[in-house]
Amino acid sequence: MDMGGMKKVLNELENGRSWVAVTVKTREGPTKVLETFEKYLKDNGWKPQFKANWWSSNAFGVAMFEAEKGKEHRVVLVKWVVTEKEEVMNVESKDDREGRTEFYALVDMISDDLIFDSVLRHMMSRY
């Protein structure tokens, strides 16, 4: 993954609002995206408390992490699409309302492909 872009992620985690939305292009699938970001969080002192991943049959999806560092708590949304490139396209922090709204929209968009509706209901009730 583009290290310059990943430094922007770290900057928003350290200095931004409660949600950090990251848009990436990747050659990897859902599991590898989740592993890459989880490792990056851990390597930079953030402790992932919860993680989840949703994807569609159209090679795009969203990974979500709740992470803590000291008394700080952040939710990281990683919107990803499988392409030939590895690139962090955009990083932005959002307040709680903006983050939840984006999260609901993303999961709703992907939910047409979800087999386990109980997973969707659980996550919607959580946030």
Side-chain angles (χ1 to χ4, degrees), residues 24-69:
V24 300
K25 291 180 180 180
T26 181
R27 291 186 291 267
E28 308 293 345
T31 303
K32 194 67 173 168
V33 170
L34 202 67
E35 290 170 356
T36 298
F37 273 85
E38 182 176 26
K39 181 177 179 342
Y40 187 76
L41 290 170
K42 287 179 178 177
D43 288 350
N44 286 283
W46 288 86
K47 185 176 175 186
Q49 300 294 319
F50 179 82
K51 62 183 177 181
N53 203 356
W54 297 266
W55 60 93
S56 79
S57 58
N58 296 322
F60 69 90
V62 61
M64 189 274 295
F65 298 88
E66 290 179 14
E68 293 181 351
K69 184 176 185 180

Side-chain angles (χ1 to χ4, degrees), residues 39-97:
K39 181 177 179 342
Y40 187 76
L41 290 170
K42 287 179 178 177
D43 288 350
N44 286 283
W46 288 86
K47 185 176 175 186
Q49 300 294 319
F50 179 82
K51 62 183 177 181
N53 203 356
W54 297 266
W55 60 93
S56 79
S57 58
N58 296 322
F60 69 90
V62 61
M64 189 274 295
F65 298 88
E66 290 179 14
E68 293 181 351
K69 184 176 185 180
K71 293 183 180 184
E72 296 294 323
H73 180 267
R74 299 283 186 271
V75 177
V76 182
L77 288 179
V78 182
K79 302 169 282 185
W80 55 267
V81 62
V82 176
T83 66
E84 293 297 316
K85 292 178 104 177
E86 289 280 332
E87 181 179 9
V88 175
M89 300 292 296
N90 189 39
V91 180
E92 60 183 321
S93 69
K94 298 174 180 280
D95 64 27
D96 195 50
R97 187 179 58 87

